[in-house]
Short mmCIF file of all heavy atoms in Angstrom, two decimals:
data_model
loop_
_atom_site.label_atom_id
_atom_site.label_comp_id
_atom_site.label_asym_id
_atom_site.label_seq_id
_atom_site.Cartn_x
_atom_site.Cartn_y
_atom_site.Cartn_z
N LEU A 479 11.61 9.36 -4.55
CA LEU A 479 12.82 8.48 -4.51
C LEU A 479 13.96 8.98 -3.88
O LEU A 479 14.15 10.18 -3.74
CB LEU A 479 13.16 8.17 -6.02
CG LEU A 479 12.29 7.16 -6.78
CD1 LEU A 479 12.47 7.31 -8.28
CD2 LEU A 479 12.64 5.77 -6.36
N LYS A 480 14.77 8.04 -3.17
CA LYS A 480 15.87 8.37 -2.47
C LYS A 480 17.09 7.72 -3.09
O LYS A 480 16.97 6.66 -3.71
CB LYS A 480 15.68 7.88 -1.04
CG LYS A 480 14.44 8.42 -0.34
CD LYS A 480 14.32 7.69 1.05
CE LYS A 480 13.06 8.31 1.77
NZ LYS A 480 12.85 7.59 3.06
N PRO A 481 18.21 8.28 -2.79
CA PRO A 481 19.51 7.61 -3.30
C PRO A 481 19.64 6.09 -2.87
O PRO A 481 20.16 5.40 -3.65
CB PRO A 481 20.68 8.42 -2.65
CG PRO A 481 19.98 9.80 -2.50
CD PRO A 481 18.66 9.49 -2.03
N GLU A 482 19.11 5.83 -1.73
CA GLU A 482 19.10 4.46 -1.20
C GLU A 482 18.29 3.40 -2.09
O GLU A 482 18.43 2.25 -1.97
CB GLU A 482 18.61 4.29 0.18
CG GLU A 482 19.29 5.27 1.22
CD GLU A 482 18.63 6.58 1.25
OE1 GLU A 482 18.95 7.50 0.48
OE2 GLU A 482 17.70 6.82 2.13
N ASP A 483 17.40 4.02 -3.00
CA ASP A 483 16.58 3.21 -3.88
C ASP A 483 17.36 2.85 -5.14
O ASP A 483 16.92 2.01 -5.99
CB ASP A 483 15.38 3.91 -4.27
CG ASP A 483 14.39 4.26 -3.10
OD1 ASP A 483 14.25 3.31 -2.28
OD2 ASP A 483 13.88 5.34 -3.03
N THR A 484 18.56 3.37 -5.30
CA THR A 484 19.33 3.06 -6.49
C THR A 484 19.68 1.57 -6.49
O THR A 484 20.14 1.03 -5.51
CB THR A 484 20.60 3.87 -6.48
OG1 THR A 484 20.42 5.28 -6.59
CG2 THR A 484 21.56 3.48 -7.62
N SER A 485 19.40 0.92 -7.59
CA SER A 485 19.52 -0.54 -7.63
C SER A 485 19.08 -0.97 -9.05
O SER A 485 18.58 -0.20 -9.92
CB SER A 485 18.67 -1.31 -6.64
OG SER A 485 19.01 -2.65 -6.60
N VAL A 486 19.38 -2.15 -9.36
CA VAL A 486 18.66 -2.84 -10.59
C VAL A 486 17.38 -3.57 -10.03
O VAL A 486 17.45 -4.33 -9.02
CB VAL A 486 19.54 -3.90 -11.21
CG1 VAL A 486 18.87 -4.59 -12.36
CG2 VAL A 486 20.85 -3.24 -11.74
N TYR A 487 16.35 -3.27 -10.71
CA TYR A 487 14.93 -3.66 -10.29
C TYR A 487 14.53 -4.88 -11.18
O TYR A 487 14.61 -4.80 -12.45
CB TYR A 487 13.95 -2.58 -10.30
CG TYR A 487 14.10 -1.69 -9.11
CD1 TYR A 487 15.17 -0.75 -9.04
CD2 TYR A 487 13.09 -1.71 -8.12
CE1 TYR A 487 15.26 0.02 -7.97
CE2 TYR A 487 13.25 -0.84 -7.00
CZ TYR A 487 14.33 -0.04 -7.02
OH TYR A 487 14.45 0.91 -5.97
N TYR A 488 14.15 -5.90 -10.61
CA TYR A 488 13.65 -7.13 -11.36
C TYR A 488 12.20 -7.44 -10.96
O TYR A 488 11.80 -7.40 -9.87
CB TYR A 488 14.54 -8.32 -11.00
CG TYR A 488 16.10 -8.21 -11.23
CD1 TYR A 488 16.99 -7.60 -10.30
CD2 TYR A 488 16.59 -8.71 -12.50
CE1 TYR A 488 18.20 -7.41 -10.57
CE2 TYR A 488 17.93 -8.64 -12.65
CZ TYR A 488 18.71 -7.93 -11.76
OH TYR A 488 20.07 -7.86 -11.99
N CYS A 489 11.53 -7.89 -11.98
CA CYS A 489 10.17 -8.31 -11.74
C CYS A 489 10.07 -9.81 -11.62
O CYS A 489 10.96 -10.60 -12.24
CB CYS A 489 9.16 -7.90 -12.79
SG CYS A 489 9.43 -8.36 -14.52
N LYS A 490 9.26 -10.44 -10.97
CA LYS A 490 9.10 -11.81 -10.76
C LYS A 490 7.58 -12.22 -10.86
O LYS A 490 6.74 -11.62 -10.06
CB LYS A 490 9.57 -12.30 -9.43
CG LYS A 490 9.50 -13.90 -9.30
CD LYS A 490 10.04 -14.38 -7.90
CE LYS A 490 9.07 -14.08 -6.87
NZ LYS A 490 9.51 -14.70 -5.54
N PHE A 491 7.19 -13.08 -11.82
CA PHE A 491 5.83 -13.42 -11.86
C PHE A 491 5.80 -15.03 -11.45
O PHE A 491 6.60 -15.84 -11.89
CB PHE A 491 5.32 -13.40 -13.29
CG PHE A 491 4.97 -11.97 -13.74
CD1 PHE A 491 5.32 -11.03 -13.01
CD2 PHE A 491 4.44 -11.83 -15.04
CE1 PHE A 491 5.03 -9.67 -13.42
CE2 PHE A 491 4.22 -10.62 -15.45
CZ PHE A 491 4.54 -9.41 -14.72
N THR A 492 4.79 -15.31 -10.54
CA THR A 492 4.59 -16.76 -10.23
C THR A 492 3.36 -17.24 -10.80
O THR A 492 2.28 -16.64 -10.64
CB THR A 492 4.52 -16.84 -8.70
OG1 THR A 492 5.76 -16.29 -8.05
CG2 THR A 492 4.25 -18.24 -8.32
N VAL A 493 3.29 -18.37 -11.39
CA VAL A 493 2.17 -19.06 -11.99
C VAL A 493 1.75 -20.21 -11.15
O VAL A 493 2.56 -20.84 -10.58
CB VAL A 493 2.38 -19.47 -13.47
CG1 VAL A 493 2.70 -18.23 -14.35
CG2 VAL A 493 3.50 -20.46 -13.64
N GLY A 494 0.57 -20.47 -11.12
CA GLY A 494 -0.05 -21.53 -10.31
C GLY A 494 -0.04 -21.21 -8.81
O GLY A 494 0.53 -20.09 -8.47
N PRO A 495 -0.56 -22.01 -7.98
CA PRO A 495 -0.63 -21.68 -6.57
C PRO A 495 0.75 -21.51 -5.89
O PRO A 495 0.88 -20.70 -4.98
CB PRO A 495 -1.37 -22.93 -6.05
CG PRO A 495 -2.20 -23.38 -7.03
CD PRO A 495 -1.26 -23.29 -8.35
N THR A 496 1.69 -22.19 -6.33
CA THR A 496 3.08 -22.24 -5.68
C THR A 496 4.30 -22.03 -6.66
O THR A 496 5.36 -21.86 -6.33
CB THR A 496 3.35 -23.48 -4.93
OG1 THR A 496 3.33 -24.57 -5.89
CG2 THR A 496 2.30 -23.74 -3.86
N GLY A 497 3.99 -21.82 -7.94
CA GLY A 497 5.04 -21.62 -8.93
C GLY A 497 4.75 -22.33 -10.22
O GLY A 497 3.65 -22.83 -10.40
N PRO A 498 5.73 -22.41 -11.11
CA PRO A 498 7.14 -21.82 -11.01
C PRO A 498 7.21 -20.26 -11.03
O PRO A 498 6.17 -19.63 -11.33
CB PRO A 498 7.84 -22.38 -12.15
CG PRO A 498 6.72 -22.55 -13.24
CD PRO A 498 5.49 -22.97 -12.42
N ALA A 499 8.31 -19.74 -10.80
CA ALA A 499 8.63 -18.30 -10.87
C ALA A 499 9.34 -17.95 -12.06
O ALA A 499 10.38 -18.72 -12.47
CB ALA A 499 9.19 -17.81 -9.61
N TYR A 500 9.18 -16.80 -12.70
CA TYR A 500 9.93 -16.40 -13.79
C TYR A 500 10.36 -14.88 -13.46
O TYR A 500 9.74 -14.16 -12.80
CB TYR A 500 9.07 -16.28 -15.07
CG TYR A 500 8.44 -17.65 -15.49
CD1 TYR A 500 7.27 -18.18 -14.97
CD2 TYR A 500 9.25 -18.50 -16.39
CE1 TYR A 500 6.83 -19.32 -15.37
CE2 TYR A 500 8.82 -19.71 -16.71
CZ TYR A 500 7.53 -20.18 -16.35
OH TYR A 500 7.12 -21.37 -16.66
N TRP A 501 11.60 -14.69 -13.96
CA TRP A 501 12.30 -13.35 -13.68
C TRP A 501 12.58 -12.63 -14.82
O TRP A 501 12.85 -13.06 -15.95
CB TRP A 501 13.59 -13.59 -12.96
CG TRP A 501 13.48 -14.19 -11.59
CD1 TRP A 501 13.46 -15.45 -11.18
CD2 TRP A 501 13.50 -13.47 -10.33
NE1 TRP A 501 13.32 -15.62 -9.76
CE2 TRP A 501 13.31 -14.34 -9.24
CE3 TRP A 501 13.55 -11.99 -10.10
CZ2 TRP A 501 13.30 -13.91 -7.90
CZ3 TRP A 501 13.53 -11.65 -8.70
CH2 TRP A 501 13.46 -12.57 -7.63
N GLY A 502 12.40 -11.22 -14.78
CA GLY A 502 12.88 -10.42 -15.84
C GLY A 502 14.41 -10.20 -15.79
O GLY A 502 15.06 -10.61 -14.91
N GLY A 503 14.89 -9.58 -16.89
CA GLY A 503 16.32 -9.26 -16.98
C GLY A 503 16.81 -8.10 -16.14
O GLY A 503 18.02 -7.84 -15.96
N GLY A 504 15.84 -7.30 -15.67
CA GLY A 504 16.41 -6.20 -14.78
C GLY A 504 16.43 -4.83 -15.53
O GLY A 504 16.64 -4.70 -16.68
N THR A 505 16.10 -3.74 -14.79
CA THR A 505 16.16 -2.35 -15.29
C THR A 505 16.82 -1.52 -14.33
O THR A 505 16.49 -1.58 -13.10
CB THR A 505 14.75 -1.82 -15.77
OG1 THR A 505 14.89 -0.54 -16.30
CG2 THR A 505 13.93 -1.67 -14.49
N GLN A 506 17.74 -0.72 -14.59
CA GLN A 506 18.57 0.06 -13.72
C GLN A 506 17.76 1.34 -13.35
O GLN A 506 17.16 2.07 -14.11
CB GLN A 506 19.80 0.60 -14.42
CG GLN A 506 20.68 1.49 -13.53
CD GLN A 506 21.35 0.78 -12.38
OE1 GLN A 506 21.93 -0.25 -12.49
NE2 GLN A 506 21.18 1.47 -11.18
N VAL A 507 17.82 1.60 -11.99
CA VAL A 507 17.14 2.87 -11.40
C VAL A 507 18.39 3.48 -10.61
O VAL A 507 18.98 2.88 -9.78
CB VAL A 507 16.06 2.55 -10.49
CG1 VAL A 507 15.63 3.79 -9.72
CG2 VAL A 507 14.89 2.05 -11.23
N THR A 508 18.55 4.80 -10.95
CA THR A 508 19.60 5.55 -10.21
C THR A 508 19.10 6.86 -9.73
O THR A 508 18.46 7.56 -10.49
CB THR A 508 20.76 5.88 -11.18
OG1 THR A 508 21.45 4.59 -11.79
CG2 THR A 508 21.90 6.63 -10.48
N VAL A 509 19.21 7.07 -8.52
CA VAL A 509 18.62 8.30 -7.79
C VAL A 509 19.90 8.97 -7.19
O VAL A 509 20.59 8.52 -6.38
CB VAL A 509 17.78 7.98 -6.69
CG1 VAL A 509 17.18 9.18 -6.11
CG2 VAL A 509 16.65 7.03 -7.23
#
């Protein structure tokens, strides 16, 4: 990990061939 990787990370799951997409609430990563 590098300091440039510091961010809030969000996951996204897509269901079906084209969507819909669902997002997580985020988790903080600090380097």
Side-chain angles (χ1 to χ4, degrees):
L479 283 163
K480 305 175 181 180
E482 306 91 271
D483 297 317
T484 295
S485 188
V486 177
Y487 284 71
Y488 299 86
C489 61
K490 182 182 78 172
F491 288 6
T492 302
V493 299
T496 60
Y500 298 89
W501 291 88
T505 185
Q506 177 71 48
V507 171
T508 302
V509 185

